[in-house]
Amino acid sequence: MRVCRTVVGVLALVASSAAQADRITSMSREDRCSYVAKLHVLGHHYHGKGTARADVKIHWHGDETPHEIDFVNDTLDAAYAESARQAQRGERDLPPEVIGDRAFEACMSEARS
């Protein structure tokens, strides 16, 4: 019985520490840049619809680290800023593929530095 409680305790400890692992930091460069590209497409979509950045709902799971939350928010902020710059340059209706490709390539270039 004692061994069973110890195993349950260890499993609970492992599960809680795994839940606290920073998923952004542990992603490969390619996966992180793909995630950045997806967030940029999302940001451009909502900006193009006229949705204020503050009104974009993010559904958190509840186990995100502060770094993960900051990463998502900072990336969406950057996407909104880039979308505004593109609109000023007259590039309002860029296809999502172009937006995603640009964000991915910029991220990959930064990651190499």
Side-chain angles (χ1 to χ4, degrees):
M1 186 68 151
R2 183 173 185 194
V3 171
C4 184
R5 277 190 241 153
T6 302
V7 170
V8 170
V10 169
L11 289 176
L13 180 62
V14 169
S16 67
S17 65
Q20 294 302 313
D22 189 323
R23 290 171 286 256
I24 303 299
T25 304
S26 64
M27 285 181 175
S28 70
R29 180 177 72 191
E30 292 81 6
D31 287 343
R32 185 175 48 80
C33 290
S34 292
Y35 190 43
V36 165
K38 290 175 187 180
L39 289 170
H40 269 265
V41 170
L42 180 71
H44 282 267
H45 168 76
Y46 280 113
H47 183 265
K49 285 178 50 175
T51 304
R53 169 61 184 95
D55 293 336
V56 174
K57 303 287 186 244
I58 301 171
H59 300 282
W60 302 108
H61 297 275
D63 64 347
E64 291 81 9
T65 66
H67 177 254
E68 291 169 328
I69 292 169
D70 289 344
F71 182 86
V72 169
N73 283 317
D74 292 347
T75 304
L76 281 174
D77 291 346
Y80 261 72
E82 179 60 24
S83 185
R85 285 190 297 275
Q86 287 175 353
Q88 288 175 339
R89 291 191 304 256
E91 298 177 343
R92 283 195 175 277
D93 298 321
L94 289 176
E97 297 84 5
V98 171
I99 294 164
D101 286 349
R102 286 181 179 179
F104 182 82
E105 289 172 13
C107 177
M108 290 294 286
S109 294
E110 289 173 10
R112 285 187 196 109
S113 310

